[in-house]
mmCIF file of all heavy atoms in Angstrom:
data_model
loop_
_atom_site.group_PDB
_atom_site.id
_atom_site.type_symbol
_atom_site.label_atom_id
_atom_site.label_comp_id
_atom_site.label_asym_id
_atom_site.label_seq_id
_atom_site.Cartn_x
_atom_site.Cartn_y
_atom_site.Cartn_z
ATOM 1 N N SER A 1 -22.316 29.423 -5.195
ATOM 2 C CA SER A 1 -23.432 28.899 -4.391
ATOM 3 C C SER A 1 -22.814 27.774 -3.532
ATOM 4 O O SER A 1 -22.018 26.890 -3.937
ATOM 5 C CB SER A 1 -24.431 28.188 -5.523
ATOM 6 O OG SER A 1 -25.244 27.416 -4.775
ATOM 7 N N THR A 2 -23.264 27.807 -2.161
ATOM 8 C CA THR A 2 -22.786 26.997 -1.307
ATOM 9 C C THR A 2 -23.208 25.632 -1.459
ATOM 10 O O THR A 2 -22.638 24.557 -1.010
ATOM 11 C CB THR A 2 -23.103 27.496 0.162
ATOM 12 O OG1 THR A 2 -24.543 27.569 0.220
ATOM 13 C CG2 THR A 2 -22.451 28.815 0.494
ATOM 14 N N SER A 3 -24.388 25.418 -2.140
ATOM 15 C CA SER A 3 -24.877 24.086 -2.403
ATOM 16 C C SER A 3 -24.157 23.378 -3.511
ATOM 17 O O SER A 3 -24.117 22.074 -3.446
ATOM 18 C CB SER A 3 -26.404 24.207 -2.826
ATOM 19 O OG SER A 3 -26.523 25.093 -4.054
ATOM 20 N N TRP A 4 -23.473 24.106 -4.303
ATOM 21 C CA TRP A 4 -22.689 23.423 -5.333
ATOM 22 C C TRP A 4 -21.217 23.354 -4.994
ATOM 23 O O TRP A 4 -20.383 22.714 -5.641
ATOM 24 C CB TRP A 4 -22.828 24.156 -6.689
ATOM 25 C CG TRP A 4 -24.190 23.985 -7.257
ATOM 26 C CD1 TRP A 4 -25.335 24.709 -7.223
ATOM 27 C CD2 TRP A 4 -24.541 22.772 -8.083
ATOM 28 N NE1 TRP A 4 -26.391 24.170 -7.832
ATOM 29 C CE2 TRP A 4 -25.926 23.035 -8.456
ATOM 30 C CE3 TRP A 4 -23.883 21.706 -8.671
ATOM 31 C CZ2 TRP A 4 -26.519 22.067 -9.330
ATOM 32 C CZ3 TRP A 4 -24.583 20.780 -9.511
ATOM 33 C CH2 TRP A 4 -25.846 21.058 -9.912
ATOM 34 N N ARG A 5 -20.797 24.193 -3.956
ATOM 35 C CA ARG A 5 -19.373 24.287 -3.597
ATOM 36 C C ARG A 5 -18.945 23.045 -2.819
ATOM 37 O O ARG A 5 -19.672 22.680 -1.851
ATOM 38 C CB ARG A 5 -19.212 25.510 -2.767
ATOM 39 C CG ARG A 5 -17.677 25.697 -2.380
ATOM 40 C CD ARG A 5 -17.476 26.826 -1.500
ATOM 41 N NE ARG A 5 -17.873 28.088 -2.284
ATOM 42 C CZ ARG A 5 -17.821 29.293 -1.732
ATOM 43 N NH1 ARG A 5 -17.589 29.533 -0.440
ATOM 44 N NH2 ARG A 5 -18.248 30.460 -2.396
ATOM 45 N N PRO A 6 -17.928 22.351 -3.252
ATOM 46 C CA PRO A 6 -17.469 21.140 -2.575
ATOM 47 C C PRO A 6 -16.899 21.478 -1.133
ATOM 48 O O PRO A 6 -16.152 22.457 -0.989
ATOM 49 C CB PRO A 6 -16.371 20.504 -3.456
ATOM 50 C CG PRO A 6 -15.926 21.685 -4.298
ATOM 51 C CD PRO A 6 -17.170 22.584 -4.418
ATOM 52 N N PRO A 7 -17.219 20.672 -0.265
ATOM 53 C CA PRO A 7 -16.771 21.107 1.187
ATOM 54 C C PRO A 7 -15.180 20.795 1.234
ATOM 55 O O PRO A 7 -14.673 20.082 0.530
ATOM 56 C CB PRO A 7 -17.509 20.144 2.097
ATOM 57 C CG PRO A 7 -17.816 19.008 1.172
ATOM 58 C CD PRO A 7 -18.151 19.587 -0.171
ATOM 59 N N PHE A 8 -14.627 21.615 2.065
ATOM 60 C CA PHE A 8 -13.155 21.556 2.228
ATOM 61 C C PHE A 8 -12.740 20.220 2.837
ATOM 62 O O PHE A 8 -11.679 19.758 2.607
ATOM 63 C CB PHE A 8 -12.727 22.725 3.174
ATOM 64 C CG PHE A 8 -11.252 22.871 3.119
ATOM 65 C CD1 PHE A 8 -10.525 23.269 2.052
ATOM 66 C CD2 PHE A 8 -10.471 22.467 4.260
ATOM 67 C CE1 PHE A 8 -9.124 23.509 2.020
ATOM 68 C CE2 PHE A 8 -8.972 22.688 4.187
ATOM 69 C CZ PHE A 8 -8.513 23.120 3.077
ATOM 70 N N SER A 9 -13.637 19.657 3.640
ATOM 71 C CA SER A 9 -13.325 18.356 4.225
ATOM 72 C C SER A 9 -13.117 17.154 3.100
ATOM 73 O O SER A 9 -12.337 16.419 3.237
ATOM 74 C CB SER A 9 -14.398 17.933 5.208
ATOM 75 O OG SER A 9 -15.615 17.792 4.520
ATOM 76 N N LEU A 10 -13.934 17.435 1.955
ATOM 77 C CA LEU A 10 -13.845 16.399 0.971
ATOM 78 C C LEU A 10 -12.403 16.506 0.254
ATOM 79 O O LEU A 10 -11.875 15.634 -0.156
ATOM 80 C CB LEU A 10 -14.958 16.706 -0.108
ATOM 81 C CG LEU A 10 -14.998 15.894 -1.287
ATOM 82 C CD1 LEU A 10 -15.051 14.332 -1.015
ATOM 83 C CD2 LEU A 10 -16.061 16.241 -2.297
ATOM 84 N N THR A 11 -12.002 17.829 0.074
ATOM 85 C CA THR A 11 -10.619 18.111 -0.489
ATOM 86 C C THR A 11 -9.628 17.487 0.237
ATOM 87 O O THR A 11 -8.704 16.907 -0.276
ATOM 88 C CB THR A 11 -10.488 19.635 -0.577
ATOM 89 O OG1 THR A 11 -11.443 20.238 -1.278
ATOM 90 C CG2 THR A 11 -9.193 19.938 -1.339
ATOM 91 N N LEU A 12 -9.699 17.609 1.602
ATOM 92 C CA LEU A 12 -8.751 17.015 2.503
ATOM 93 C C LEU A 12 -8.751 15.488 2.419
ATOM 94 O O LEU A 12 -7.728 14.895 2.478
ATOM 95 C CB LEU A 12 -8.858 17.486 3.963
ATOM 96 C CG LEU A 12 -8.649 18.961 4.251
ATOM 97 C CD1 LEU A 12 -8.869 19.257 5.695
ATOM 98 C CD2 LEU A 12 -7.123 19.139 3.943
ATOM 99 N N ALA A 13 -9.942 14.919 2.452
ATOM 100 C CA ALA A 13 -10.056 13.438 2.233
ATOM 101 C C ALA A 13 -9.428 12.980 0.990
ATOM 102 O O ALA A 13 -8.826 11.844 0.957
ATOM 103 C CB ALA A 13 -11.583 13.120 2.408
ATOM 104 N N VAL A 14 -9.613 13.654 -0.136
ATOM 105 C CA VAL A 14 -9.001 13.255 -1.388
ATOM 106 C C VAL A 14 -7.519 13.338 -1.300
ATOM 107 O O VAL A 14 -6.709 12.436 -1.889
ATOM 108 C CB VAL A 14 -9.587 14.054 -2.516
ATOM 109 C CG1 VAL A 14 -8.719 13.832 -3.823
ATOM 110 C CG2 VAL A 14 -11.112 13.862 -2.736
ATOM 111 N N ALA A 15 -6.984 14.385 -0.708
ATOM 112 C CA ALA A 15 -5.578 14.584 -0.467
ATOM 113 C C ALA A 15 -5.053 13.331 0.273
ATOM 114 O O ALA A 15 -3.912 12.848 -0.022
ATOM 115 C CB ALA A 15 -5.193 15.836 0.106
ATOM 116 N N PHE A 16 -5.658 12.990 1.343
ATOM 117 C CA PHE A 16 -5.265 11.940 2.215
ATOM 118 C C PHE A 16 -5.230 10.501 1.466
ATOM 119 O O PHE A 16 -4.287 9.810 1.468
ATOM 120 C CB PHE A 16 -6.037 11.768 3.427
ATOM 121 C CG PHE A 16 -5.701 10.552 4.311
ATOM 122 C CD1 PHE A 16 -4.663 10.552 5.119
ATOM 123 C CD2 PHE A 16 -6.504 9.405 4.182
ATOM 124 C CE1 PHE A 16 -4.327 9.442 5.947
ATOM 125 C CE2 PHE A 16 -6.270 8.375 5.024
ATOM 126 C CZ PHE A 16 -5.131 8.281 5.918
ATOM 127 N N LEU A 17 -6.302 10.335 0.678
ATOM 128 C CA LEU A 17 -6.520 9.135 -0.167
ATOM 129 C C LEU A 17 -5.312 8.991 -1.165
ATOM 130 O O LEU A 17 -4.842 7.966 -1.576
ATOM 131 C CB LEU A 17 -7.727 9.061 -0.829
ATOM 132 C CG LEU A 17 -8.939 8.728 0.139
ATOM 133 C CD1 LEU A 17 -10.223 8.806 -0.586
ATOM 134 C CD2 LEU A 17 -8.902 7.429 0.770
ATOM 135 N N GLY A 18 -4.899 10.243 -1.733
ATOM 136 C CA GLY A 18 -3.785 10.237 -2.670
ATOM 137 C C GLY A 18 -2.402 10.058 -2.063
ATOM 138 O O GLY A 18 -1.499 9.564 -2.727
ATOM 139 N N LEU A 19 -2.291 10.518 -0.810
ATOM 140 C CA LEU A 19 -1.035 10.212 -0.104
ATOM 141 C C LEU A 19 -0.699 8.737 0.188
ATOM 142 O O LEU A 19 0.444 8.395 0.275
ATOM 143 C CB LEU A 19 -0.964 11.130 1.257
ATOM 144 C CG LEU A 19 -0.811 12.612 0.962
ATOM 145 C CD1 LEU A 19 -0.903 13.109 2.406
ATOM 146 C CD2 LEU A 19 0.596 12.880 0.498
ATOM 147 N N VAL A 20 -1.745 7.982 0.436
ATOM 148 C CA VAL A 20 -1.513 6.650 0.803
ATOM 149 C C VAL A 20 -0.786 5.807 -0.412
ATOM 150 O O VAL A 20 0.281 5.257 -0.108
ATOM 151 C CB VAL A 20 -2.802 5.897 1.002
ATOM 152 C CG1 VAL A 20 -2.582 4.412 1.325
ATOM 153 C CG2 VAL A 20 -3.436 6.447 2.352
ATOM 154 N N PRO A 21 -1.375 5.866 -1.585
ATOM 155 C CA PRO A 21 -0.602 5.111 -2.689
ATOM 156 C C PRO A 21 0.670 5.834 -3.009
ATOM 157 O O PRO A 21 1.639 5.136 -3.417
ATOM 158 C CB PRO A 21 -1.553 5.154 -3.828
ATOM 159 C CG PRO A 21 -2.428 6.328 -3.559
ATOM 160 C CD PRO A 21 -2.597 6.358 -2.114
ATOM 161 N N ALA A 22 0.871 7.125 -2.896
ATOM 162 C CA ALA A 22 2.047 7.851 -3.194
ATOM 163 C C ALA A 22 3.132 7.408 -2.206
ATOM 164 O O ALA A 22 4.330 7.267 -2.573
ATOM 165 C CB ALA A 22 1.859 9.375 -3.154
ATOM 166 N N THR A 23 2.751 7.281 -0.940
ATOM 167 C CA THR A 23 3.799 6.813 0.128
ATOM 168 C C THR A 23 4.224 5.477 -0.134
ATOM 169 O O THR A 23 5.392 5.174 0.021
ATOM 170 C CB THR A 23 3.105 6.936 1.482
ATOM 171 O OG1 THR A 23 2.668 8.258 1.783
ATOM 172 C CG2 THR A 23 4.147 6.639 2.573
ATOM 173 N N ILE A 24 3.291 4.517 -0.416
ATOM 174 C CA ILE A 24 3.651 3.254 -0.739
ATOM 175 C C ILE A 24 4.702 3.063 -1.936
ATOM 176 O O ILE A 24 5.639 2.317 -1.935
ATOM 177 C CB ILE A 24 2.379 2.304 -1.018
ATOM 178 C CG1 ILE A 24 1.542 2.188 0.179
ATOM 179 C CG2 ILE A 24 2.701 0.910 -1.591
ATOM 180 C CD1 ILE A 24 0.284 1.548 -0.121
ATOM 181 N N LEU A 25 4.281 3.925 -2.964
ATOM 182 C CA LEU A 25 5.150 3.938 -4.244
ATOM 183 C C LEU A 25 6.564 4.465 -3.848
ATOM 184 O O LEU A 25 7.574 3.977 -4.297
ATOM 185 C CB LEU A 25 4.608 4.809 -5.329
ATOM 186 C CG LEU A 25 3.479 4.194 -6.138
ATOM 187 C CD1 LEU A 25 2.907 5.278 -6.989
ATOM 188 C CD2 LEU A 25 4.132 3.156 -7.016
ATOM 189 N N ALA A 26 6.614 5.482 -3.017
ATOM 190 C CA ALA A 26 7.952 6.180 -2.781
ATOM 191 C C ALA A 26 8.811 5.126 -1.891
ATOM 192 O O ALA A 26 9.895 4.963 -2.130
ATOM 193 C CB ALA A 26 7.654 7.470 -1.851
ATOM 194 N N ALA A 27 7.993 4.384 -0.938
ATOM 195 C CA ALA A 27 8.711 3.321 -0.057
ATOM 196 C C ALA A 27 9.352 2.283 -1.054
ATOM 197 O O ALA A 27 10.460 1.758 -0.920
ATOM 198 C CB ALA A 27 7.914 2.825 0.961
ATOM 199 N N ASP A 28 8.566 1.789 -1.925
ATOM 200 C CA ASP A 28 8.806 0.757 -3.006
ATOM 201 C C ASP A 28 10.046 1.154 -3.825
ATOM 202 O O ASP A 28 10.958 0.368 -3.973
ATOM 203 C CB ASP A 28 7.674 0.277 -3.876
ATOM 204 C CG ASP A 28 6.663 -0.516 -2.997
ATOM 205 O OD1 ASP A 28 6.930 -0.880 -2.010
ATOM 206 O OD2 ASP A 28 5.613 -0.742 -3.639
ATOM 207 N N LEU A 29 9.952 2.400 -4.334
ATOM 208 C CA LEU A 29 11.078 2.912 -5.227
ATOM 209 C C LEU A 29 12.298 3.082 -4.432
ATOM 210 O O LEU A 29 13.445 2.766 -4.934
ATOM 211 C CB LEU A 29 10.680 4.223 -5.807
ATOM 212 C CG LEU A 29 9.536 4.155 -6.769
ATOM 213 C CD1 LEU A 29 9.049 5.576 -7.257
ATOM 214 C CD2 LEU A 29 9.805 3.320 -8.034
ATOM 215 N N GLU A 30 12.251 3.475 -3.195
ATOM 216 C CA GLU A 30 13.433 3.681 -2.302
ATOM 217 C C GLU A 30 14.010 2.272 -1.999
ATOM 218 O O GLU A 30 15.280 2.135 -2.047
ATOM 219 C CB GLU A 30 13.118 4.322 -1.056
ATOM 220 C CG GLU A 30 14.266 4.597 -0.003
ATOM 221 C CD GLU A 30 15.357 5.565 -0.687
ATOM 222 O OE1 GLU A 30 15.005 6.237 -1.672
ATOM 223 O OE2 GLU A 30 16.416 5.603 -0.137
ATOM 224 N N ARG A 31 13.250 1.358 -1.761
ATOM 225 C CA ARG A 31 13.738 0.048 -1.496
ATOM 226 C C ARG A 31 14.315 -0.596 -2.691
ATOM 227 O O ARG A 31 15.363 -1.181 -2.617
ATOM 228 C CB ARG A 31 12.594 -0.864 -1.027
ATOM 229 C CG ARG A 31 12.936 -2.291 -0.552
ATOM 230 C CD ARG A 31 11.861 -2.855 0.349
ATOM 231 N NE ARG A 31 10.593 -2.840 -0.370
ATOM 232 C CZ ARG A 31 9.505 -2.038 0.171
ATOM 233 N NH1 ARG A 31 9.549 -1.438 1.231
ATOM 234 N NH2 ARG A 31 8.306 -2.046 -0.432
ATOM 235 N N ASP A 32 13.830 -0.382 -3.860
ATOM 236 C CA ASP A 32 14.515 -0.902 -5.131
ATOM 237 C C ASP A 32 15.795 -0.260 -5.362
ATOM 238 O O ASP A 32 16.714 -0.734 -5.806
ATOM 239 C CB ASP A 32 13.440 -0.695 -6.372
ATOM 240 C CG ASP A 32 12.335 -1.625 -6.299
ATOM 241 O OD1 ASP A 32 12.262 -2.538 -5.549
ATOM 242 O OD2 ASP A 32 11.400 -1.455 -7.209
ATOM 243 N N ARG A 33 15.790 1.088 -5.064
ATOM 244 C CA ARG A 33 17.067 1.827 -5.241
ATOM 245 C C ARG A 33 18.134 1.289 -4.434
ATOM 246 O O ARG A 33 19.374 1.133 -4.879
ATOM 247 C CB ARG A 33 16.798 3.394 -4.978
ATOM 248 C CG ARG A 33 18.057 4.160 -5.254
ATOM 249 C CD ARG A 33 17.752 5.627 -4.918
ATOM 250 N NE ARG A 33 17.801 5.831 -3.464
ATOM 251 C CZ ARG A 33 18.862 5.832 -2.626
ATOM 252 N NH1 ARG A 33 20.102 5.757 -3.307
ATOM 253 N NH2 ARG A 33 18.847 6.040 -1.332
ATOM 254 N N HIS A 34 17.865 0.953 -3.148
ATOM 255 C CA HIS A 34 18.892 0.354 -2.286
ATOM 256 C C HIS A 34 19.236 -0.998 -2.816
ATOM 257 O O HIS A 34 20.343 -1.345 -2.852
ATOM 258 C CB HIS A 34 18.354 0.185 -0.875
ATOM 259 C CG HIS A 34 18.507 1.525 -0.072
ATOM 260 N ND1 HIS A 34 19.601 2.027 0.389
ATOM 261 C CD2 HIS A 34 17.513 2.384 0.218
ATOM 262 C CE1 HIS A 34 19.477 3.192 1.050
ATOM 263 N NE2 HIS A 34 18.169 3.449 0.958
ATOM 264 N N ALA A 35 18.277 -1.789 -3.153
ATOM 265 C CA ALA A 35 18.580 -3.238 -3.663
ATOM 266 C C ALA A 35 19.403 -3.161 -4.894
ATOM 267 O O ALA A 35 20.280 -4.104 -5.127
ATOM 268 C CB ALA A 35 17.258 -3.891 -3.920
ATOM 269 N N ARG A 36 19.220 -2.233 -5.843
ATOM 270 C CA ARG A 36 19.942 -2.145 -7.105
ATOM 271 C C ARG A 36 21.498 -1.852 -6.900
ATOM 272 O O ARG A 36 22.292 -2.203 -7.607
ATOM 273 C CB ARG A 36 19.432 -1.084 -7.966
ATOM 274 C CG ARG A 36 18.027 -1.503 -8.585
ATOM 275 C CD ARG A 36 17.498 -0.527 -9.484
ATOM 276 N NE ARG A 36 16.197 -0.735 -9.939
ATOM 277 C CZ ARG A 36 15.842 -1.756 -10.935
ATOM 278 N NH1 ARG A 36 16.812 -2.275 -11.444
ATOM 279 N NH2 ARG A 36 14.553 -1.949 -11.135
ATOM 280 N N SER A 37 21.793 -1.128 -5.697
ATOM 281 C CA SER A 37 23.046 -0.874 -5.342
ATOM 282 C C SER A 37 23.720 -2.037 -4.437
ATOM 283 O O SER A 37 24.886 -1.693 -3.977
ATOM 284 C CB SER A 37 23.194 0.528 -4.656
ATOM 285 O OG SER A 37 22.486 0.494 -3.359
#
């Protein structure tokens, strides 16, 4: 049913919202890795 099917744009929006904290975490972990060495 199209009325119950989530739009593909919502899926892309969730993916984008998940990439923001993931990118911040990756940058922080990389910075910590350099600082530890």
Side-chain angles (χ1 to χ4, degrees):
S1 172
T2 56
S3 60
W4 289 92
R5 182 181 297 176
F8 191 70
S9 59
L10 177 62
T11 307
L12 291 178
V14 171
F16 175 76
L17 292 176
L19 282 175
V20 173
T23 302
I24 295 174
L25 276 171
D28 285 350
L29 293 174
E30 181 66 13
R31 191 161 45 245
D32 284 355
R33 186 183 71 83
H34 278 287
R36 290 181 188 280
S37 65

